[in-house]
Amino acid sequence: MEKYVIEGGVPLYGEVEIQSAKNAVLPLLAAAVLTEQRVVIHRCPRITDVLNMVQILAELGFSTNFVGEDLTIDGADAANHEIPAALAKELRSSVFMLGSVIARFGRARIAYPGGCDIGLRPIDLHLSGLRRLGVCIGEEGGYIDCVCSRLKGAEILLDCPSVGATENIMLAAVRAEGETVIRNAAREPEIVDLANFLNRMGAKVYGAGSQTVRIDGVSSLHGVEYTPISDRIEAGTFLIASAMCGGELVLNNADAENLTSLIHKLCEISCKIHADDGKIYIKSGDRVSPKLVETSPYPGFPTDLQAQMTALACICNGSTVVVENLFETRFKHVPELIRMGADITVRGRSAFIRGVPHLRGADVFAGDLRGGAALTLAAISAEGLSSVADLSHIDRGYSGFEFKLRALGARIRRVRI
Ligand code: UD1
């Protein structure tokens, strides 16, 4: 196991390069299954979620080659339809493979997916959507078995705008016969990126980014070279780091359009922010409390920035209520923040935070990816020495997190326990 050792209390200054979005890249890797031809993904981050997805592709018979940040996938010889349990349990995005593996091979077998332990995270909407497209699904012994000789377009209404279910259905529907309409679809920027990628492969996807996505099925898809959108959650993490630690940052390859709810909150608490030509500039301010932060599907406040925002609220002047509406148990970072001197009470899905002047260094444990990022920011802003373990969570989503933070002035190093 590895941990960060952090000596806190220094402001952050400088420029940071934002990676391509984890949540955009993962469904693109599933989309690569849909063609026999070569797919190249530029600026592909070397995070463990991506590396696990690449390993799943290899198990399916795809040849994969990572050179620098360019990932090449070649599916000419791919023939397997089974995703091994050990890999499926490593990450939730393995479930995206269902739609594309069925579309390519007519069948799929996968163990129930893993991922961050932040609540129940059912996949009923994925499965009912695929059933509507004509897939026969059996569930036994922790495995999902899917068979379908011919996918048929259908009208699908999602009970809630699930990101993963929208993507999974899109991945199957692009190769279905006829038209599919997904209503109450998720509107996240990563859905738009997936649609753009699929359309560049020859698919016909319309309306991505709105509540209704229409797909005209095509009989085959071809290869593509593509650069995914930048990671709004990584960018948001650095903006919050700046608000917590003080100083001035420039984020390169960042899209402020996709971060309006966070930027609005940070301006409310007196940060100075402006965006220009793929860059976001931030100068931290007096840290007035944001009062209320409530997560909701895009374009609302992202649940993936809730933990980091909770850490920031701990050192704001005044009280803040943070409401987590998407996932049931996404407050695992709270007891750890309390160990660092935060004043927080959790009741159900709400955290009531009374700001303190500063946090104190402590040895803390990350229970999930974004919680781990939040604790790292808390430690960098805190007075004294901290350690944050276990880094396997953080490595799932942030490439070179400590290198980027260190280049901005943070005193952080990785050590093996
Ligand atoms: C994706 C993101 C994750 C983010 C989340 C919400 C990826 C790889 N992950 O996860 O980082 O936190 O969106 O923005 O893109 N639900 C059901 N049934 C289903 C599916 C979902 O009830 O079949 C519920 C979930 O329990 C949750 C809500 O829908 O309450 C949103 O989940 P969803 O949008 O599906 O999240 P993920 O795709 O898993």
Side-chain angles (χ1 to χ4, degrees):
M1 197 198 284
E2 291 179 315
K3 66 178 182 181
Y4 285 145
V5 173
I6 297 166
E7 212 185 314
V10 284
L12 303 179
Y13 285 95
E15 297 195 18
V16 59
E17 196 70 28
I18 301 303
Q19 69 188 23
S20 293
K22 168 180 94 71
N23 289 352
V25 172
L26 297 173
L28 301 193
L29 297 180
V33 170
L34 292 164
T35 178
E36 293 80 22
Q37 295 180 11
R38 207 169 61 111
V39 169
V40 183
I41 299 179
H42 298 293
R43 293 198 86 242
C44 186
R46 281 177 183 265
I47 49 180
T48 47
D49 269 10
V50 165
L51 299 177
N52 280 325
M53 223 33 190
V54 167
Q55 234 185 303
I56 292 175
L57 286 169
E59 289 285 341
L60 295 173
F62 288 77
S63 70
T64 58
N65 190 18
F66 232 135
V67 179
E69 285 201 310
D70 290 339
L71 174 64
T72 303
I73 301 158
D74 197 318
D77 302 323
N80 296 344
H81 65 272
E82 185 168 336
I83 297 169
L87 283 172
K89 291 198 185 306
E90 282 298 318
L91 85 164
R92 179 168 168 87
S93 305
S94 54
V95 77
F96 298 139
M97 288 286 189
L98 268 187
S100 53
V101 171
I102 295 160
R104 170 91 186 259
F105 302 115
R107 55 196 308 136
R109 181 171 160 82
I110 183 176
Y112 266 94
C116 271
D117 180 14
I118 52 179
L120 292 173
R121 306 195 84 178
I123 55 166
D124 55 316
L125 301 176
H126 298 241
L127 300 185
S128 62
L130 293 173
R131 281 197 177 100
R132 296 275 303 154
L133 296 175
V135 180
C136 292
I137 303 177
E139 297 172 66
E140 211 189 328
Y143 272 86
I144 307 165
D145 274 301
C146 304
V147 186
C148 184
S149 51
R150 212 164 69 191
L151 290 162
K152 288 205 85 151
E155 178 103 13
I156 297 167
L157 171 65
L158 295 178
D159 289 344
C160 70
S162 156
V163 175
T166 303
E167 291 170 339
N168 219 341
I169 295 164
M170 284 166 71
L171 288 164
V174 286
R175 292 273 299 256
E177 201 181 292
E179 189 191 53
T180 297
V181 181
I182 310 172
R183 297 195 190 280
N184 198 23
R187 293 184 287 159
E188 268 68 3
E190 292 77 17
I191 303 276
V192 178
D193 209 41
L194 175 61
N196 290 339
F197 182 85
L198 289 168
N199 288 341
R200 292 271 304 278
M201 294 174 85
K204 294 181 177 165
V205 182
Y206 312 100
S210 76
Q211 284 173 326
T212 307
V213 178
R214 286 175 198 280
I215 300 150
D216 281 332
V218 295
S219 55
S220 68
L221 293 169
H222 52 73
V224 61
E225 285 202 25
Y226 196 81
T227 304
I229 55 170
S230 83
D231 197 317
R232 62 195 168 98
I233 305 302
E234 191 201 21
T237 303
F238 279 100
L239 291 177
I240 294 172
S242 172
M244 290 182 75
C245 300
E248 263 181 86
L249 295 188
V250 181
L251 277 54
N252 296 324
N253 183 42
D255 191 345
E257 285 284 306
N258 293 341
L259 271 168
T260 45
S261 56
L262 173 69
I263 290 176
H264 182 75
K265 278 285 160 205
L266 293 178
C267 290
E268 250 177 50
I269 72 164
S270 83
C271 291
K272 300 274 176 284
I273 299 179
H274 77 273
D276 185 20
D277 198 22
K279 291 178 190 285
I280 305 178
Y281 304 82
I282 178 165
K283 187 172 191 300
S284 57
D286 290 339
R287 293 202 305 261
V288 194
S289 120
K291 294 193 173 58
L292 177 68
V293 178
E294 196 163 351
T295 65
S296 62
Y298 189 83
F301 193 91
T303 174
D304 288 351
L305 288 173
Q306 178 263 107
Q308 301 88 316
M309 199 64 185
T310 299
L312 167 58
C314 291
I315 51 167
C316 283
N317 295 315
S319 300
T320 306
V321 180
V322 175
V323 185
E324 173 54 61
N325 286 311
L326 272 90
F327 295 110
E328 298 84 0
T329 56
R330 207 168 193 179
F331 280 128
K332 285 197 185 137
H333 43 285
V334 166
E336 303 302 294
L337 289 169
I338 291 172
R339 281 151 61 81
M340 300 180 79
D343 182 349
I344 311 175
T345 310
V346 173
R347 265 187 235 118
R349 288 182 176 235
S350 300
F352 300 86
I353 303 156
R354 287 155 297 268
V356 295
H358 55 79
L359 296 173
R360 295 185 305 269
D363 296 325
V364 292
F365 284 88
D368 61 67
L369 164 59
R370 305 303 171 184
L375 294 174
T376 304
L377 303 191
I380 291 171
S381 76
E383 284 189 353
L385 198 66
S386 296
S387 68
V388 180
D390 147 22
L391 298 188
S392 66
H393 295 293
I394 294 172
D395 291 339
R396 284 188 39 222
Y398 294 88
S399 71
F401 197 38
E402 71 267 29
F403 297 108
K404 290 182 180 181
L405 287 165
R406 203 155 50 222
L408 301 174
R411 290 175 295 205
I412 175 170
R413 64 196 163 87
R414 177 183 290 250
V415 298
R416 195 172 284 278
I417 303 174

